[in-house]
Amino acid sequence: MKRFFLFYILLITFAATKAQQAVTASINIDTKQGHAMVPGSSGFNARIGDKVWSYKHPDFIKAVNELRPGWLRYWSGTAGDAFSAATGMYDKEYINMFDKGEAYDRLYQFVEVKGPHRIIDLYHLLGTVNAKLVITVNAFTETPEMTLELARFCKNNNIKVEVWQFCNEPYFYIPGRQRYWWNDGYDYAQKMKPHADAIQQIFPEAKLALNFTWDGIWGFMKEINSYQKEKGAFWNVFSKHSYAPHTGKEESFEEAYRRMNTKLIEATDKKTMNEIEEWTKKDIPMLITEFGVWNRPLNGIMSAVYNAEYTLRQLSHSNTWLIGSHEISNKIKPAKNLNKEIMDAFENNVSINTTKLETGIEWDDEGKALRIVHEATNNANYVWATTVTGAANVPGLNNKEFVGMYALAMQGTNGYDYLLVTNRSGEWHDVQLRIDGISINQAVERMYIAETKADDKNVTVIADKIQVNGTALIMPYSLVLLKWKNNRKQLPETSRIYKAEVKSNGIALQWWKQPSAVSYLLTITDKQTGKKTTQSLTAANYICKGLMKGRSYEFTVQSKNKNGVSEFSDPVAINYKVPAAPEIFKTAPRDNQITVFWKSVPNATGYKVMVSQPGGIGTIVYDADNVFGFKLKALVYNKPCIITVKAYNGLGESTPSESVTVTCKQDIPLPPTNISAIENSNGSVALKWNEPKQKIADLQYRLYRGEQPHKFSVLKEGLTETSFTDATIEKGKEYFYTVKSYTTDGECSFYPNIATIIRSNKKIAVEVESITKLSDAIEVKVKFSNIPTDGESEFAVLLSDVSYLNVEETKFKSANVANGTYTVKIPLDAVKAKATYSVKASVQTNGGTPVISLPPHKEFKAE
C-alpha cells in the first residue's frame, strides 16, 4: 500500500512537469469502421495440475473470479498429453508412451493426491463468471472411441464446448525430432479425422480446430494444406501458439526489448493473417490457445504490456475469435507454496483434503495487465477502427524502429465504451482523443499500470476518474484503460444455462448472471404436451418444482432490463426421471488398480462404481461423482474383480450396468513406444519401436496393422525383438501400424503412437551423408540423385535446435555443388554450446516444392 501511494504521488508530480515535454500524438476512433467480436474473447490456457489448486480449491475459485477470464482450456497444453478426460487424472500407460515421460511423473503425483480434475467442475466454475470452455482433445494417447465418449458426456451434461482443438503442439512430434506420432502435417490431419468424426457424431455443427503452428513457421501448416487440397477440410477453425519474443539463448534486457518490439508486430500484422488465410481459407476463425513472452529479462512491466498489446493487435483482425495467454495460474499464483505437503502425502500414501490447504493468491504483472484488458473484452461486442499517429518510436532488431504506442477501442454492451492504450516507449504522450473526428470531452474512468523504467517489476494497478478535455496524458511503459458512459439504449446480453440437475424436488438450474440485466425470464416447456410456462426471476438460479416424473422438459432463459429482453439462451433439455443404466466399454488393469470407463447417460448427476472380489469383505461402493471413468485402487492381485456401474440423480439410482470381471496381475507390461515404419528399397516396410521403460521377463510384442488409423488387426505376435519387416503389403495401399506388449499376465491396455509409412522416393533422393566438425565450422556433406541442377536451383541444409521447444529452421545455402553432392559449412558462432541440432538436406529447383531428406534425420551436439 505504501508503494502504491508513493508511486501515485510520483506519477502526479511527473504528470504536472512532463505534460509540457510530452510527445504530441493522436488517437482517432472511427465508429463507422470495424467488426464484431465475441464478448469474453480473452482467456487462458489452464495448467494447475502440478499446483495445490484444483477446480474446487477456494483460492483457485478466487483467482478465476478476480481475473475474470472469458474462457479457459481443458486440460491444458503439454500437461494434457498424458491426461485422461474420462477420469480427470493421469494414466501411467499414457505417461510412458512419451520419450520424456518423467516430466509427467510430478503431474501424476499431484493429481493422485488432489483427486480428479473433472471437466464438469471446471464448466460449473466457468459459469459463475460467464466464461466459456475450450477443449484440447488428447489425440496423442486417447483413441477416437474415448473422444466419442467425451463428446457424449458433454452432450449429456449440457456442456457447451466453444471449439474442439486437436492436440497440443503436434508439430513437435515428427520424425525430425525422432518422434513418429505423424510424419508431417498431412499425416497429422488424416489421424485427426477419426477424432473429428467422433465429435461430429454427437455435435454435427461442432467447431473443430487443427493446431497448425507457432507464429510464422508455416511448414507444418502447408503440409496440412496439402491434405485440405486433396481431401477437403474437416476443420473450420485455425489454431496456433505464439511465443514470438522467445529465443533459445540468454540475452540482455536491451536485446530482449528490441526483439519484443519486432516480434510483436511480425506475429500480429496483416501479412501474417493473410498467410494464414492463404493456407487455410478466407475469414477462417482464429483460436490461440497459448501465447506469451517466454523471455526472462522482459518479466515485469514489459511482459505485462506485451500480453495486453498482443491481445489487442490480434483482436484488430476480423477473424480473430478466442485468444488465450499461457497460463492462468501464472497470472495469479498461489501466494504460499504448499507443494511439499502434496509430495509428502504422495510419498507416504496419506489422504489429505487439498482444498483445505490455504495458499492465498499473488498477482503476477501479466495478470494485472490482462485483468485490465478483460474489463473491456468481457463487456464489448464490437471493435472500432482505431489509429495512432505521432507517437514515439521504439528500437527493434536490425536497427529498425517501430511505433511504440497502440490503441484499440471497443463498443461496450453494459452502458460503457472502452479504449485501451499501450505504450512501450519511455516517453510521456499528450494524446488527442477523437471519436469520428470529434474530441472527447467528458469524465472517464481510468485503470492503468505504468512504470518509470522499462525493466521494472511488481507493478501497481491504479483506478481513478479523470476529466478528458480533448487530450489525455499517457505514461511511459504503460497500459491504460479508459471507459465512459455511452448513453445508448442497449438490451442485456444473452445468458446461458450452465448447470441443470435433477433433484428430488425438481430440476435445479443456474445461468450466467448478466451485469446489464435486472431480471430474467425463464421459459419451461413440457416436451410431451408443448405447454410453456414463464417465470420472472431476479436471481440467476431457480428450482423448477411440480414437474411430472418421466416427462422431458426444455428450458430457456432471457435477460431483461428497462430497454427490453435479450434473445433466448440455447435450450437445455432434461428428463425428470431416474437415469438409465450406463454401459462399461473398457477396463484397464495396471498394478493393483483398475480403471473403468463407461458410456455416460442423460440426466445423471453422478455415478457409483461397485466392486467385489471373491473372499473379500463384500461389495465396495465408490461414489465417482460426475465422470465417465474411475480408478479403483488397492485391489488384491490375482483375484477376479466383479465390477458394475450405476448412474444416479436426485430421484434415485439406475439399475447396474452389465458386470465385467477383471483381474490385477503384477506383470502386465507398459506399452512399447515410438513405433516407426520406413519403406525399404524393395518395397517392404521396416518397423522399429522402443521397448517399455519397465523391464519385465518374458516380454513379447503383438504388431497391429490397418488401412485406416485406429482400425487394426493383428499382423504378427510372439515377437521378442523391437523390429520387424513387413513384406506382405499390397502395392498402392496405405498402411498404419502400432504395437502392444504382453506377457502371460496380459497385454498393455493402450497402444502408443500409430506409424505411417515413410516412403522412399526411388526417382528423387537427397540425403545427409556426413557431419564433420572443423576448426571454424560444422561441415555437412549431402548427396542427391535424379534431381536436375539446371535453371534456378537452391541447395541447402536446414538446421533446427531440437534441445528445446522450437519449430524454427535456419537455412544455410551451398555454392559448392558437383557430381551429385554438395557441402555446406555452418559457422561455429551460428550454433549454441551443448545444444542438439537436427540437420535436413533441402534441394529446390525452379521455385518448386523443396525435396527434403527423409527421416530419421542426422543430428549433432555442439560443444
Side-chain angles (χ1 to χ4, degrees):
M1 185 63 71
K2 182 179 179 181
R3 184 179 187 277
F4 166 80
F5 285 116
L6 289 174
F7 181 75
Y8 194 50
I9 292 170
L10 184 64
L11 276 177
I12 293 173
T13 304
F14 273 8
T17 59
K18 290 289 183 179
Q20 296 178 346
Q21 307 171 25
V23 174
T24 300
S26 63
I27 295 174
N28 296 285
I29 302 168
D30 183 354
T31 65
K32 298 176 179 62
Q33 302 290 327
H35 56 265
M37 62 174 285
V38 175
S41 55
S42 175
F44 296 101
N45 183 29
R47 176 176 172 148
I48 61 171
D50 49 3
K51 293 183 173 67
V52 174
W53 289 350
S54 61
Y55 300 141
K56 291 188 174 182
H57 193 288
D59 290 317
F60 181 68
I61 293 171
K62 182 178 181 182
V64 170
N65 275 268
E66 294 199 10
L67 198 45
R68 309 293 292 187
W71 59 275
L72 289 180
R73 179 191 191 195
Y74 184 86
W75 158 252
S76 176
T78 303
D81 297 347
F83 184 80
S84 167
T87 63
M89 304 185 77
Y90 283 89
D91 188 279
K92 282 187 177 180
E93 290 200 14
Y94 289 3
I95 289 171
N96 283 275
M97 293 179 193
F98 292 92
D99 53 358
K100 295 183 179 179
E102 62 273 8
Y104 296 104
D105 290 343
R106 178 181 171 88
L107 287 157
Y108 173 86
Q109 292 161 2
F110 265 66
V111 176
E112 285 293 305
V113 173
K114 292 191 292 179
H117 287 54
R118 306 177 187 93
I119 191 171
I120 191 77
D121 295 336
L122 174 60
Y123 190 71
H124 289 165
L125 171 59
L126 292 174
T128 64
V129 293
N130 296 9
K132 307 174 183 73
L133 175 69
V134 170
I135 289 180
T136 296
V137 175
N138 174 16
F140 284 105
T141 52
E142 304 229 289
T143 63
E145 180 183 36
M146 206 67 76
T147 301
L148 173 65
E149 295 311 320
L150 173 58
R152 191 192 315 276
F153 181 85
C154 291
K155 177 75 171 179
N156 288 336
N157 287 278
N158 293 292
I159 295 174
K160 182 171 182 178
V161 181
E162 300 304 309
V163 58
W164 304 76
Q165 180 191 47
F166 296 111
C167 289
N168 181 74
E169 296 171 355
Y171 25 81
F172 292 132
Y173 294 83
I174 56 175
R177 291 175 174 270
Q178 304 301 315
R179 296 164 174 166
Y180 296 90
W181 294 89
W182 17 84
N183 294 346
D184 51 25
Y186 181 104
D187 193 30
Y188 158 70
Q190 72 176 345
K191 287 174 179 172
M192 296 305 101
K193 181 65 163 60
H195 291 274
D197 292 343
I199 293 167
Q200 289 178 320
Q201 183 177 327
I202 305 296
F203 297 107
E205 304 302 319
K207 295 288 188 184
L208 306 175
L210 295 189
N211 198 335
F212 285 79
T213 185
W214 273 31
D215 296 316
I217 311 303
W218 302 133
F220 198 75
M221 178 169 71
K222 292 177 181 179
E223 293 160 357
I224 293 173
N225 179 256
S226 65
Y227 178 97
Q228 178 177 330
K229 287 179 177 177
E230 181 180 326
K231 298 185 177 181
F234 57 83
W235 58 92
N236 45 26
V237 174
F238 168 89
S239 75
K240 73 169 188 173
H241 287 175
S242 177
Y243 294 92
H246 176 60
T247 178
K249 63 181 181 180
E250 294 292 329
E251 59 183 0
S252 67
F253 174 82
E254 290 73 20
E255 291 172 322
Y257 177 61
R258 289 195 296 271
R259 183 181 304 279
M260 178 194 75
N261 288 328
T262 298
K263 296 299 182 179
L264 173 61
I265 310 304
E266 290 179 358
T268 60
D269 63 9
K270 184 61 177 174
K271 177 184 175 184
T272 297
M273 191 61 70
N274 289 341
E275 288 180 304
I276 290 170
E277 292 183 333
E278 178 185 352
W279 295 102
T280 53
K281 70 174 183 178
K282 182 70 175 174
D283 297 325
I284 190 169
M286 182 171 72
L287 164 73
I288 299 175
T289 46
E290 289 183 28
F291 81 85
V293 173
W294 199 1
N295 194 325
R296 191 180 300 275
L298 295 171
N299 290 353
I301 183 63
M302 292 318 306
S303 66
V305 172
Y306 178 94
N307 271 257
E309 187 170 332
Y310 182 92
T311 302
L312 300 177
R313 285 181 176 272
Q314 294 292 20
L315 284 173
S316 71
H317 301 295
S318 60
N319 55 334
T320 298
W321 182 25
L322 301 174
I323 313 167
S325 175
H326 182 75
E327 54 85 28
I328 187 170
S329 65
N330 284 340
K331 303 303 181 263
I332 295 185
K333 310 171 185 177
K336 187 186 298 183
N337 187 336
L338 299 177
N339 291 350
K340 187 177 184 301
E341 281 79 351
I342 301 290
M343 296 307 298
D344 287 347
F346 179 81
E347 291 171 5
N348 297 314
N349 197 26
V350 174
S351 177
I352 60 173
N353 183 352
T354 57
T355 63
K356 300 295 184 182
L357 296 177
E358 297 180 7
T359 65
I361 64 171
E362 177 183 317
W363 283 82
D364 181 83
D365 291 339
E366 294 178 5
K368 296 170 187 176
L370 288 167
R371 177 61 187 91
I372 292 172
V373 171
H374 292 168
E375 179 67 21
T377 56
N378 287 344
N379 298 297
N381 61 6
Y382 200 87
V383 169
W384 284 323
T386 312
T387 56
V388 176
T389 56
N393 285 345
V394 293
L397 298 175
N398 302 317
N399 297 316
K400 292 183 178 180
E401 289 189 339
F402 300 90
V403 176
M405 180 176 287
Y406 189 77
L408 195 69
M410 302 177 195
Q411 175 183 281
T413 60
N414 60 345
Y416 288 88
D417 292 331
Y418 299 89
L419 174 66
L420 284 152
V421 184
T422 59
N423 182 9
R424 285 173 282 112
S425 81
E427 301 293 335
W428 289 77
H429 286 69
D430 190 26
V431 180
Q432 298 175 338
L433 302 178
R434 298 188 183 93
I435 300 178
D436 297 329
I438 300 173
S439 294
I440 297 178
N441 290 284
Q442 68 179 90
V444 302
E445 297 179 33
R446 179 174 66 171
M447 186 184 299
Y448 65 93
I449 54 174
E451 289 292 342
T452 56
K453 294 192 299 181
D455 58 353
D456 278 351
K457 296 177 173 60
N458 302 317
V459 303
T460 301
V461 178
I462 297 174
D464 58 13
K465 295 181 180 180
I466 60 172
Q467 179 67 35
V468 172
N469 296 312
T471 65
L473 200 60
I474 301 297
M475 298 72 74
Y477 309 121
S478 63
L479 163 67
V480 180
L481 168 71
L482 302 176
K483 71 174 188 177
W484 57 91
K485 291 186 177 181
N486 57 36
N487 299 317
R488 288 190 302 271
K489 289 186 176 181
Q490 291 179 295
L491 298 178
E493 285 290 286
T494 303
S495 189
R496 176 183 297 182
I497 298 171
Y498 66 86
K499 192 172 186 179
E501 293 184 334
V502 174
K503 303 290 187 180
S504 60
N505 60 341
I507 294 176
L509 304 170
Q510 294 182 40
W511 54 87
W512 288 358
K513 185 176 181 180
Q514 294 293 1
S516 56
V518 295
S519 63
Y520 303 92
L521 298 177
L522 175 67
T523 300
I524 306 166
T525 304
D526 185 323
K527 297 296 289 181
Q528 183 171 327
T529 64
K531 181 182 177 182
K532 295 179 183 290
T533 57
T534 300
Q535 298 283 345
S536 180
L537 306 164
T538 55
N541 58 80
Y542 185 68
I543 296 180
C544 304
K545 300 180 179 180
L547 305 177
M548 295 187 65
K549 291 183 181 179
R551 289 277 181 91
S552 180
Y553 295 89
E554 184 178 271
F555 306 92
T556 57
V557 67
Q558 293 171 283
S559 309
K560 185 178 180 181
N561 64 17
K562 64 180 181 181
N563 297 316
V565 295
S566 71
E567 296 180 358
F568 286 98
S569 67
D570 291 338
V572 166
I574 296 286
N575 199 321
Y576 191 57
K577 68 176 184 179
V578 173
E583 175 189 341
I584 296 173
F585 69 90
K586 186 175 180 63
T587 57
R590 167 61 45 204
D591 302 323
N592 64 343
Q593 302 179 2
I594 299 171
T595 305
V596 187
F597 303 91
W598 59 87
K599 296 180 179 181
S600 64
V601 294
N603 315 312
T605 54
Y607 297 85
K608 292 182 179 179
V609 182
M610 286 71 67
V611 59
S612 62
Q613 290 187 294
I617 59 174
T619 299
I620 301 176
V621 180
Y622 297 92
D623 191 334
D625 210 310
N626 200 0
V627 288
F628 62 102
F630 186 73
K631 282 186 183 180
L632 297 167
K633 301 180 180 180
L635 302 171
V636 179
Y637 283 114
N638 302 316
K639 284 192 174 182
C641 295
I642 303 169
I643 303 168
T644 56
V645 180
K646 291 181 179 180
Y648 66 82
N649 61 24
L651 294 177
E653 297 178 355
S654 73
T655 56
S657 67
E658 290 189 15
S659 66
V660 296
T661 301
V662 187
T663 302
C664 291
K665 297 283 188 176
Q666 288 179 298
D667 287 335
I668 296 176
L670 291 167
T673 64
N674 209 33
I675 183 171
S676 62
I678 300 177
E679 185 180 41
N680 295 318
S681 59
N682 64 0
S684 64
V685 177
L687 301 159
K688 294 181 180 179
W689 57 90
N690 297 329
E691 64 182 3
K693 297 174 185 178
Q694 184 182 43
K695 306 294 184 182
I696 292 181
D698 301 321
L699 183 69
Q700 298 183 73
Y701 301 102
R702 188 170 284 125
L703 195 60
Y704 295 84
R705 187 180 74 181
E707 295 180 26
Q708 297 179 49
H710 301 286
K711 293 186 177 181
F712 298 112
S713 58
V714 174
L715 174 63
K716 188 73 173 178
E717 57 187 354
L719 297 170
T720 57
E721 302 296 328
T722 56
S723 63
F724 180 78
T725 298
D726 181 11
T728 65
I729 64 174
E730 295 181 31
K731 188 176 181 180
K733 284 189 175 182
E734 188 64 77
Y735 293 96
F736 301 89
Y737 299 87
T738 194
V739 63
K740 296 176 80 173
S741 53
Y742 68 97
T743 66
T744 55
D745 274 355
E747 185 181 61
C748 62
S749 297
F750 303 99
Y751 49 82
N753 65 301
I754 297 171
T756 307
I757 300 172
I758 298 173
R759 300 290 183 180
S760 61
N761 190 323
K762 297 178 183 178
K763 294 181 180 179
I764 298 175
V766 58
E767 178 185 355
V768 174
E769 189 173 24
S770 65
I771 301 174
T772 306
K773 183 183 177 185
L774 306 178
S775 60
D776 60 344
I778 304 293
E779 183 181 72
V780 181
K781 288 187 177 181
V782 179
K783 63 180 181 180
F784 61 92
S785 59
N786 299 313
I787 298 178
T789 57
D790 58 335
E792 295 182 7
S793 300
E794 177 188 87
F795 296 83
V797 297
L798 306 175
L799 193 67
S800 178
D801 182 351
V802 295
S803 52
Y804 75 107
L805 293 182
N806 168 49
V807 293
E808 295 184 26
E809 292 181 331
T810 304
K811 181 184 291 185
F812 295 88
K813 299 178 183 179
S814 172
N816 183 14
V817 182
N819 301 320
T821 65
Y822 64 89
T823 58
V824 174
K825 289 187 177 181
I826 302 170
L828 291 181
D829 60 6
V831 298
K832 296 180 302 179
K834 299 183 180 180
T836 300
Y837 290 90
S838 173
V839 182
K840 301 178 187 177
S842 170
V843 179
Q844 185 179 35
T845 59
N846 298 315
T849 301
V851 179
I852 307 295
S853 55
L854 293 172
H857 301 296
K858 285 187 168 60
E859 295 181 354
F860 72 88
K861 188 169 185 177
E863 296 181 359

